Amino acid sequence: MVANIAAAANKLDIETDVSLTEAREVVLDTADEEELSSKYQDVEFVLGDDLNAGKGVLHLTTRRVVWVSSAAGGPALALRYPQIVMHAVSRDPSSYSRPCIYA
């Protein structure tokens, strides 16, 4: 499944080589003055209708949105804000089974 997530992420220009510490914390780009704004635990990452990377930690920084899998060795994915064209919160169960943010 990780290979499928990485392949789909690469097609969508989602960064897959996110730098992490040994504790799986995001390494911030301090040269670009990147700072951590907030962190959310147990966030599920889903791409399309059938690619679910599982739960992880969503990091919102001043430069990027970064999701890090809770699974040891799991993927870490990042988008810079200019890459996000549209986002919204959906609570419509006909769109997805649980409330979600889509971009």
Side-chain angles (χ1 to χ4, degrees):
M1 179 62 69
V2 171
N4 292 342
I5 291 289
N10 284 328
K11 284 182 184 178
L12 296 170
D13 199 26
I14 297 172
E15 183 183 347
T16 58
D17 61 342
V18 178
S19 296
L20 302 174
T21 66
E22 285 186 32
R24 297 189 56 80
E25 292 293 326
V26 175
V27 175
L28 300 173
D29 184 358
T30 54
D32 193 25
E33 298 181 2
E34 182 179 30
E35 298 175 13
L36 182 65
S37 298
S38 55
K39 236 165 79 165
Y40 301 92
Q41 303 289 328
D42 297 323
V43 174
E44 190 175 6
F45 189 93
V46 178
L47 268 175
D49 293 329
D50 58 349
L51 290 177
N52 186 327
K55 290 187 176 183
V57 180
L58 184 69
H59 300 79
L60 301 179
T61 79
T62 53
R63 304 282 186 241
R64 305 177 286 170
V65 174
V66 184
W67 179 86
V68 180
S69 173
S70 295
L77 307 167
L79 283 166
R80 291 200 166 270
Y81 289 118
Q83 291 176 274
I84 301 172
V85 177
M86 178 186 78
H87 72 278
V89 174
S90 174
R91 290 182 176 82
D92 179 2
S94 68
S95 295
Y96 193 70
S97 60
R98 293 180 299 283
C100 63
I101 297 174
Y102 63 92

